[in-house]
Amino acid sequence: MIEATSCGGVVIFRGKILLLYKNYKNRYEGWVLPKGTVEPGEEFKDTAIREVREETGVDAAIIKYIGKSQYSFNVPEDTVEKDVHWYLMMADNYYSKPQREEYFVDSGYYKFHEAYHLLKFSNEKQILERAYNEYLDLKKSNLWGNRKYF
């Protein structure tokens, strides 16, 4: 068994959520949240910020830690057990540019119910729900977008 750790973000701007569409040689297609592998010596928060920037071109700020999802998949030589640490993040505009080298062919901001139905993986849907509820709570308390908050 191979253990792997990634970090990613639920990036929100004006109530909409940033998603990426991946198409790998027409074998893997679907909408996902931005995430990627932790580099040696890198803090989880730094990984989330870097991966969001690399995969989407978005400079997002971390608001808070949301939680961890876990899944496994097979590679030819073994099974990979992956932990993904998720952060609620805030963008300051609607700009995004999918990273072609990673087979992302589209990106954009979607309303919650659209994003929820577009997402390919149920564990990402659960993280989206948790993050969006946090966002709504912060907004209700007038803390969302308040730079002093983070």
Side-chain angles (χ1 to χ4, degrees), residues 116-131:
Y116 186 86
H117 291 293
L118 284 171
L119 281 174
K120 181 178 176 111
F121 300 112
S122 60
N123 60 353
E124 290 195 2
K125 288 182 182 204
Q126 290 170 339
I127 290 295
L128 171 61
E129 251 182 314
R130 202 179 307 166

Side-chain angles (χ1 to χ4, degrees), residues 19-150:
L19 298 185
L20 284 161
Y21 189 81
K22 188 165 200 158
N23 183 343
Y24 180 70
K25 299 179 181 171
N26 293 324
R27 282 202 305 259
Y28 170 86
E29 297 178 0
W31 289 96
V32 295
L33 295 167
K35 69 176 184 303
T37 305
V38 178
E39 292 179 353
E42 193 175 39
E43 298 281 329
F44 288 173
K45 283 182 175 183
D46 296 333
T47 301
I49 290 167
R50 178 182 54 75
E51 286 292 342
V52 166
R53 186 181 311 115
E54 285 176 4
E55 292 185 352
T56 68
V58 175
D59 281 317
I62 287 180
I63 305 300
K64 70 184 299 186
Y65 182 73
I66 292 301
K68 180 170 79 166
S69 61
Q70 296 170 297
Y71 62 95
S72 59
F73 58 94
N74 295 315
V75 292
E77 63 279 359
D78 210 339
T79 298
V80 177
E81 293 285 335
K82 183 163 257 198
D83 287 346
V84 184
H85 296 274
W86 294 99
Y87 294 88
L88 173 59
M89 300 171 82
M90 181 172 75
D92 57 9
N93 60 56
Y94 283 124
Y95 171 83
S96 69
K97 183 178 189 284
Q99 184 184 26
R100 302 276 177 205
E101 304 79 48
E102 292 286 334
Y103 308 102
F104 293 116
V105 295
D106 197 6
S107 63
Y109 287 84
Y110 294 87
K111 292 177 181 171
F112 172 78
H113 66 277
E114 295 169 331
Y116 186 86
H117 291 293
L118 284 171
L119 281 174
K120 181 178 176 111
F121 300 112
S122 60
N123 60 353
E124 290 195 2
K125 288 182 182 204
Q126 290 170 339
I127 290 295
L128 171 61
E129 251 182 314
R130 202 179 307 166
Y132 197 74
N133 285 331
E134 285 288 342
Y135 160 75
L136 292 175
D137 288 347
L138 290 169
K139 205 164 163 48
K140 208 183 306 173
S141 308
N142 281 327
L143 291 171
W144 183 260
N146 178 350
R147 287 282 172 192
K148 290 189 283 278
Y149 182 71
F150 32 76

